[in-house]
Amino acid sequence: MTHDDTTPPEGVRLPGGPVRELSTEPLVAAHPGMTCPWALAERVSRSPEGALVSRKTALGRGWQDMSAAAFRTHVREVAAGLVAAGLQPGDAVGIMARTSYEWTLMDFAAWEAGLVVVPVYETSSAEQVQWILTDSDVRLLLVENRAMEVMVDSIKASQPHLAHLTVLCTEREALPSLVAAGRSVEAAELDRRSAALTSDTLATVVYTSGTTGRPKGAELTHGNLVHLCVNACAHVPEVLGGPDVRILLFLPLAHVLGRFLEIAVVCSQAGVLGHAPDVRNLVPDLESFQPTAVLAVPRVFEKIYNAADARAVGTRQKVFRLAAKTAIAYSRALDTAKGPSPTLRAQHAAFNRLVFARLRSVLGGRVRYVVSGGGPLGERLGHFYRGAGVNVLEGYGLTETMGPCTVNLPGTTRIGTVGIPLPGCSVRLAEDAEILVRGIGTFRGYHDDPQATAAALTRDGWLATGDLGSIEEGGFLRITGRKKEIIVTAGGKNVAPSLLEDRLRGHPLVSQVLVVGDNRPCIGALICLDAEMLPQWLHNHGLEEMDVAQAARDIRVRSALERAVTRANQAVSRAESIRTFSVLPTDFTVANGLLTPSLKVRREEAHRRFASEIDELYARPLSA
């Protein structure tokens, strides 16, 4: 599809005049019985002996398939244990763990028993865990290891109202003990509980990992979860259809995007789901599992690109960077009427053998599509991956929309946009260009917080996202910034920081960036170095070993970053360009509270913590 094609994709309605609203009709109609237990039972009825889950073998060198029927049997055994534990329909159970088979098992077991699941990030602080457990009134919490168990027990000891909370630890054989206890529960009780569920029944309360304030619990129904996933499978059969679909899940299952993928594979015709709990082993896991599609947040794709650049030395690095430029140019040319020139095609073919094939092998060798969500990927990376032979489908969604509400399609993609609405979803632009969404995945409100619900949802069900956007010809949504993040300089210039931050993170040395300048004379930036990439970069440039704090003060490192800033500034006007920056001796991480679990910068916290460093930016002479 070219940029000149103004024909809307099939199913998208475009009103006359300037486009302010997009709407796509559902491909699969909803019904009251559309619940998570129904979805699993349907998958079993379609292919009882076909693989649904693949688990790493004991030695971690291979994968062993589990049939849909076997998985459902395990689910019902654990569900019976939850019933035996005294949990009543509608009670809340929590899961605090890394991405794992056990999480998916517990999710579906809780739903089979008529319970509500509350996910908790394993990286959450004690204060966050206490708030979530208290606010949602969790009755039973499954934790992954002894350290988590000790933390939760200490919270219980100081909070008498949590005395009812039962903590089970997978390291202590929690799931086998549930299975053993559940043998006294009749199957008819599980059937009764699951039959009592409807698509309007609350399925999960997902607490936002927002960049500001206390987390709010978004209430999502069984219909939100399943109806959206069923329609997504019908909407992108190239990704979720067919007999050979394999999805390796390494996103946190506490994040709604990971949860969406988990349920979508169950709703698919024959998809197989694997779990990768440790991202440090992600590359070998991808190579051995061989997924057909990879879904991740933008930072993962940035890290893959930066690692490839940093590990190339000397002439090889020059070759990689020329290949990257060729990939981007080739992808951009695909969006023109003439397409790539014969010379560009020849260069692309050469680099396909030398560079791009190796990059695809890092993703497992069989990847047909890469799906990016949870934040803006940026045109640079989007064109790079597509030019390297990996089809990038960027989408957009929130916790409150059960994951994606728009996505680019394999045959209808415009790099730099987040695509068109999924079936059953609508997008509208407010007068100030704020994006409003409504549809089958939209949550019913925040848990026990009517004031926050009223502030987020209009009376007719439109969700105010806080994101700014535009609708391009052909019905493609483009994210242009976030209302709360727009910087207004002292000169009155409005600046969206994401473009500059995206381009700077493309440098191998850079981990995170905070662009600042509100009520200041110009735009500035705080730059964090990537501790993983630093040793390789120093070696490649013939420099001695140093830690991050030393590198932050090194004039040679700063010179390299000055060049990166100059390149980033080429994408914006003079008034929007970075004219002063500092290199921090530390990084923004989830552990230190400067990143959300979905790897977004907590801007208010970063501004507060580095207030003196920001002041210092503007106390020094500014670049010309």
Side-chain angles (χ1 to χ4, degrees), residues 157-365:
S158 64
Q159 302 293 321
H161 58 279
L162 289 177
H164 65 267
L165 176 67
T166 300
V167 183
L168 299 179
C169 179
T170 55
E171 281 187 351
R172 293 175 177 268
E173 298 293 304
L175 294 178
S177 66
L178 280 177
V179 170
R183 294 192 181 108
S184 62
V185 175
E186 294 184 359
E189 173 61 16
L190 291 181
D191 294 339
R192 183 186 68 79
R193 290 191 177 207
S194 60
L197 300 173
T198 72
S199 59
D200 291 330
T201 304
L202 181 63
T204 185
V205 181
V206 183
Y207 282 79
T208 61
S209 59
T211 56
T212 62
R214 178 173 268 178
K216 300 187 292 290
E219 294 188 340
L220 296 164
T221 66
H222 282 270
N224 290 146
L225 274 59
V226 178
H227 195 198
L228 184 68
C229 289
V230 167
N231 274 277
C233 289
H235 194 50
V236 283
E238 301 91 339
V239 179
L240 293 169
D244 64 339
V245 170
R246 294 178 63 83
I247 305 292
L248 182 64
L249 184 56
F250 52 88
L251 287 168
L253 276 165
H255 190 285
V256 74
L257 195 56
R259 211 76 165 292
F260 166 82
L261 196 60
E262 168 192 78
I263 299 166
V265 171
V266 170
C267 293
S268 69
Q269 189 66 31
V272 178
L273 181 69
H275 300 82
D278 192 342
V279 293
R280 290 175 296 183
N281 299 325
L282 182 57
V283 171
D285 283 347
L286 287 168
E287 290 176 345
S288 59
F289 187 83
Q290 295 189 316
T292 55
V294 171
L295 189 149
V297 296
R299 187 59 183 148
V300 171
F301 301 118
E302 288 172 348
K303 295 283 280 187
I304 291 173
Y305 175 91
N306 288 346
D309 181 74
R311 289 169 185 161
V313 182
T315 302
R316 287 178 57 198
Q317 187 174 66
K318 292 180 180 178
V319 170
F320 176 82
R321 291 183 175 177
L322 183 57
K325 289 181 180 178
T326 301
I328 294 170
Y330 183 85
S331 177
R332 289 188 184 280
L334 291 175
D335 289 336
T336 65
K338 292 183 179 180
S341 68
T343 300
L344 185 55
R345 288 185 183 277
Q347 291 174 334
H348 182 265
F351 285 126
N352 186 52
R353 296 188 298 271
L354 290 171
V355 178
F356 304 149
R358 286 200 297 272
L359 178 70
R360 293 193 296 271
S361 71
V362 170
L363 295 172

Side-chain angles (χ1 to χ4, degrees), residues 456-573:
L457 288 172
T458 64
R459 289 185 177 180
D460 53 351
W462 288 93
L463 170 68
T465 67
D467 292 311
L468 301 174
S470 62
I471 296 176
E472 300 187 350
E473 291 182 327
F476 292 87
L477 178 66
R478 182 181 292 271
I479 309 299
T480 58
R482 184 150 182 84
K483 285 180 72 171
K484 292 181 180 180
E485 294 177 2
I486 293 296
I487 296 168
V488 183
T489 66
K493 181 65 177 178
N494 286 13
V495 179
S498 57
L499 177 59
L500 289 164
E501 290 169 349
D502 164 59
R503 291 179 71 88
L504 272 176
R505 283 195 304 266
H507 192 283
L509 271 176
V510 178
S511 172
Q512 294 294 340
V513 183
L514 178 70
V515 167
V516 299
D518 217 30
N519 294 317
R520 303 284 190 167
C522 65
I523 296 299
L526 300 180
I527 298 175
C528 304
L529 299 179
D530 191 322
E532 293 181 15
M533 294 293 106
L534 179 61
Q536 186 69 57
W537 187 89
L538 293 171
H539 174 76
N540 291 355
H541 290 78
L543 302 179
E544 67 275 14
E545 292 183 8
M546 59 183 86
D547 60 25
V548 167
Q550 293 169 325
R553 299 189 299 269
D554 190 272
I555 188 64
R556 297 160 296 182
V557 171
R558 183 174 177 88
S559 294
L561 293 174
E562 285 176 349
R563 293 191 292 272
V565 167
T566 299
R567 288 193 295 271
N569 284 341
Q570 293 172 359
V572 297
S573 69

Side-chain angles (χ1 to χ4, degrees), residues 92-107:
V93 299
I95 308 174
M96 185 179 181
R98 295 181 297 173
T99 296
S100 61
Y101 167 78
E102 289 76 15
W103 184 304
T104 296
L105 174 67
M106 188 68 171
D107 250 350

Side-chain angles (χ1 to χ4, degrees), residues 23-79:
S23 180
T24 306
E25 295 297 324
L27 295 174
V28 181
H31 59 77
M34 195 172 270
T35 66
C36 294
W38 168 86
L40 180 56
E42 283 290 297
R43 175 61 185 268
V44 172
S45 69
R46 289 195 298 271
S47 178
E49 300 308 316
L52 172 56
V53 178
S54 195
R55 303 178 65 183
K56 290 186 76 170
T57 57
L59 296 177
R61 297 175 182 172
W63 298 81
Q64 184 173 357
D65 288 345
M66 172 183 280
S67 71
F71 175 69
R72 185 166 186 259
T73 296
H74 201 184
V75 162
R76 286 176 63 86
E77 289 173 344
V78 175

